């Protein structure tokens, strides 16, 4: 058997337009400029100033999902977000579904890896994602707060982060925002990204710079030290590698002090952009995650794949992407009969007809209506998640495919260039 035949099973043709969207996203980063400092202040202010913790926890306690962040008080009036329509004073009062939607939009959400990116070995990092509750952590005015992505409070505590405790409180403008995963087993916040440090916004910095800054600054503060009176929880960075053969192998099989939940791939030039982005990708298999195929409310794997879509004004069923991908349409009689409304999230099963893709785009989907999902859901599924879950059940993207896309084995010199963010 020839060499071509040996490699053939490990090559997969592109099944989506994910690569095109990656290129468009990089182009938008160069074209679109925003007030990143204001974005950071708005997020920090909202996390710290949400009122009435008792009522907040009541309205958001249903949410099992993860994520948000903390920051300083904002005194400038009438700043309004271009994307959400709230000014800072309004944001401090949002509750329930509004809070879930707003907070979830502030995170950078990776797409699921459907196709292996071009130039994976030169343009991307890889690391093992910690299992746990994803959250924003904000330190400001002598306190530290962590919030899940639905807006609910996770912890309020002193920390060694800048302005994170009374003992290291600096000016009101010295605040930090970290994108973290709280790992229950060792009570540690694993920092996967840095949004703002000591009042300096990192929204428009590349991942290459953010990871370097995170690795350098976090250790300097003593935040990685063991818990103490004025530092209740330990923080830790994660080992990040160039996505060459050895780096990918280390992320996939190497030991880490936390439970793994898949691999995260970051484009080195990616800015921290809120919402779904094809410049960050998540990939899973059973060797590096307990949760590869989605489970139902009972924690069991359903016999048929289930998807959650949003009902639009005209009856179309859309994903959470921007722009959304349309999976079908409900007729008006069915909508009226079932009492559904525009904006509702609806759960469907993927029937025997499955998903039909033509040139990387969805042609049709055989869906069966099941009802509404849990109220804790803030958004519909993304297109990449639906396709990843479909592929897992039929023709999964395997680790061998990713290794095969990295053309040359790693040398000792490239191994030494790995960016290791050791906690």
């Amino acid at each position: 058997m020839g060499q071509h035949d040996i490699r053939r099973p490990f090559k997969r043709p592109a099944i989506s337009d994910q690569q095109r969207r990656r290129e468009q996203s990089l182009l938008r980063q160069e074209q679109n400029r925003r007030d990143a400092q204001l974005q950071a202040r708005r997020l920090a202010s909202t996390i710290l100033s949400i009122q009435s913790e008792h009522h907040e926890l009541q309205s958001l306690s249903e949410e099992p999902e993860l994520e948000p962040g903390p920051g300083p008080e904002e005194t400038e009036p009438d700043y309004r977000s271009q994307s959400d329509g709230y000014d800072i004073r309004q944001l401090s009062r949002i509750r329930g579904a509004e809070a879930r939607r707003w907070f979830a939009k502030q995170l950078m959400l990776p797409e699921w890896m459907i196709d292996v990116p071009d130039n994976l070995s030169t343009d991307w990092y890889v690391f093992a994602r910690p299992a746990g509750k994803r959250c924003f952590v904000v330190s400001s005015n002598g306190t530290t707060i962590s919030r899940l992505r639905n807006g609910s409070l996770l912890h309020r505590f002193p920390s060694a982060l800048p302005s994170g405790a009374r003992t290291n409180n600096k000016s009101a403008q010295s605040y930090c925002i970290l994108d973290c995963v709280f790992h229950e087993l060792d009570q540690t916040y694993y920092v996967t990204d840095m949004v703002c440090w000591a009042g300096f916004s990192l929204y428009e910095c590349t991942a290459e710079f953010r990871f370097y800054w995170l690795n350098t600054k976090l250790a300097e503060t003593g935040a990685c030290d063991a818990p103490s009176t004025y530092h209740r929880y330990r923080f830790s960075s994660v080992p990040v590698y160039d996505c060459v053969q050895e780096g990918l192998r280390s992320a996939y099989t190497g030991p880490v002090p936390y439970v793994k939940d898949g691999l995260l791939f970051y484009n080195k030039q990616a800015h921290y952009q809120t919402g779904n982005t094809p410049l960050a990708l998540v990939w899973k298999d059973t060797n590096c995650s307990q949760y590869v195929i989605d489970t139902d409310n009972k924690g069991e794997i359903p016999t048929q794949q289930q998807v959650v879509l949003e009902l639009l004004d005209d009856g179309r069923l859309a994903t959470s992407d921007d722009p959304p991908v349309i999976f079908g349409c409900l007729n008006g009689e069915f909508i009226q009969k079932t009492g559904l409304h525009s904006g509702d999230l609806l759960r469907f099963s993927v029937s025997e007809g499955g998903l039909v893709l033509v040139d990387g785009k969805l042609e049709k989907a055989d869906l069966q209506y099941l009802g509404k999902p849990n109220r804790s859901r803030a958004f519909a599924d993304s297109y990449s998640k639906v396709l990843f879950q479909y592929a897992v059940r039929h023709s999964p993207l395997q680790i061998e495919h990713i290794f095969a896309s990295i053309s040359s084995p790693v040398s000792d010199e490239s191994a030494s260039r790995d960016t290791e963010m050791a906690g």
Side-chain angles (χ1 to χ4, degrees):
M1 183 179 291
Q3 182 178 359
H4 175 75
D5 295 325
I6 292 174
R7 291 180 58 85
R8 189 172 181 181
F10 301 101
K11 293 187 177 181
R12 289 168 57 97
I15 64 169
S16 78
D17 61 350
Q18 200 168 45
Q19 178 61 32
R20 179 184 61 82
R21 289 184 288 106
R22 276 190 284 269
E23 294 168 356
Q24 290 178 339
S25 188
L26 283 171
L27 183 61
R28 280 197 298 271
Q29 284 188 173
E30 299 174 5
Q31 295 174 337
N32 298 339
R33 308 297 293 176
R34 61 177 171 175
D35 187 344
Q37 199 70 38
L38 175 58
Q39 174 80 4
R41 289 202 304 269
R42 177 184 291 114
L43 175 58
S45 175
T46 306
I47 288 167
L48 291 179
S49 63
I50 281 189
Q51 303 162 354
S52 181
E53 295 294 346
H54 174 72
H55 293 102
E56 169 198 338
L57 292 174
Q58 265 192 329
S59 63
L60 296 175
S61 60
E62 318 141 20
E63 329 276 340
E65 300 179 282
L66 354 154
E67 285 119 357
E73 286 296 327
E74 178 62 61
T75 58
E76 301 175 53
D78 297 329
Y79 283 123
R80 185 171 292 274
S81 165
Q82 294 178 354
S83 60
D84 54 40
Y86 293 107
D87 66 24
I88 288 170
R89 290 167 298 180
Q90 289 174 312
L91 285 170
S92 68
R93 296 191 292 271
I94 60 175
R95 291 291 182 274
E98 283 184 300
R100 291 197 294 273
R101 285 179 176 272
W102 188 86
F103 274 106
K105 283 181 180 178
Q106 306 315 305
L107 287 160
M108 185 166 79
L109 304 174
E111 289 194 4
W112 292 75
M113 184 185 283
I114 305 167
D115 300 320
V116 179
D118 295 342
N119 304 318
L120 185 64
S121 63
T122 57
D123 295 353
W124 293 74
Y125 291 125
V126 62
F127 61 93
R129 182 170 73 165
K133 298 178 178 180
R134 192 177 173 197
C135 55
F136 275 129
V137 174
V138 173
S139 62
S140 179
N141 296 328
T143 189
T144 305
I145 290 177
S146 59
R147 287 190 187 274
L148 304 178
R149 74 175 175 193
N150 55 30
S152 60
L153 181 72
L154 180 57
H155 297 132
R156 183 190 298 273
F157 59 101
S159 76
L161 297 173
S163 299
R166 294 192 303 273
T167 54
N168 63 347
N169 190 19
K170 299 180 181 180
S171 71
Q173 294 304 312
S174 180
Y175 61 94
C176 299
I177 307 175
L178 303 178
D179 189 339
C180 300
V181 173
F182 182 68
H183 191 253
E184 295 274 2
L185 291 178
D186 59 3
Q187 295 286 287
T188 297
Y189 281 94
Y190 287 95
V191 186
T192 58
D193 213 330
M194 181 179 282
V195 180
C196 181
W197 185 260
F200 175 67
S201 171
L202 299 171
Y203 273 102
E204 293 190 333
C205 297
T206 65
E208 193 169 22
F209 178 83
R210 296 198 310 274
F211 287 165
Y212 166 76
W213 200 252
L214 166 58
N215 193 37
T216 303
K217 296 299 182 181
L218 195 65
E220 290 178 355
T221 63
C224 298
D225 296 344
S228 60
T229 303
Y230 294 103
H231 180 59
R232 187 166 301 166
Y233 294 100
R234 179 174 175 266
F235 287 78
S236 178
S237 53
V238 298
V240 176
Y241 305 94
D242 287 325
C243 197
V244 292
Q245 294 266 347
E246 189 57 37
L248 179 58
R249 186 173 294 107
S250 296
Y252 184 61
T253 62
V256 288
Y258 51 81
V259 177
K260 295 181 182 179
D261 185 25
L263 300 182
L264 273 174
F265 298 80
Y266 268 61
N267 187 288
K268 294 179 180 180
Q269 299 306 310
H271 296 174
Y272 193 98
Q273 58 186 74
T274 58
N276 296 329
T277 174
L279 299 179
L281 302 170
V282 61
W283 175 89
K284 296 181 181 184
D285 72 1
T286 54
N287 292 321
C288 65
S289 177
Q290 298 176 344
Y291 311 102
V292 180
I293 299 181
D294 282 349
T295 57
D296 58 20
N297 292 335
K298 298 178 182 178
E300 300 174 352
I301 296 176
T303 55
Q304 294 179 319
Q305 178 186 354
Q306 296 183 4
V307 301
V308 175
L309 302 170
E310 181 178 355
L311 180 64
L312 302 183
D313 289 337
D314 55 4
R316 292 184 299 165
L317 301 167
T319 64
S320 62
D321 303 274
D322 183 17
V325 177
I326 304 302
F327 269 67
C329 187
L330 296 180
N331 63 53
E333 183 180 350
F334 179 82
I335 293 174
Q336 187 175 17
K337 181 179 178 181
T338 51
L340 301 178
H341 300 89
S342 175
D344 284 350
L345 297 182
L346 309 177
R347 186 179 296 277
F348 298 84
S349 62
V350 179
S351 299
E352 293 181 1
L355 305 178
V356 179
L357 302 173
V358 176
D359 296 330
K361 295 184 179 180
L362 182 69
E363 182 78 8
K364 64 178 181 178
D366 185 6
L367 303 180
Q368 182 176 354
Y369 177 65
L370 298 177
K372 293 185 178 181
N374 189 291
R375 287 197 305 162
S376 65
R377 288 293 298 255
F379 293 103
D381 288 332
S382 66
Y383 181 56
S384 64
K385 178 182 178 181
V386 175
L387 262 60
F388 184 91
Q389 288 292 317
Y390 187 76
V392 163
R393 289 172 174 264
H394 297 89
S395 178
L397 176 64
Q398 298 175 350
I399 192 66
E400 290 86 358
H401 303 142
I402 304 177
F403 272 111
S405 71
I406 303 173
S407 55
S408 59
V410 66
S411 64
D412 291 339
E413 291 134 334
S414 60
S416 67
R417 288 186 289 105
D418 288 348
T419 306
E420 178 120 0
M421 293 163 49

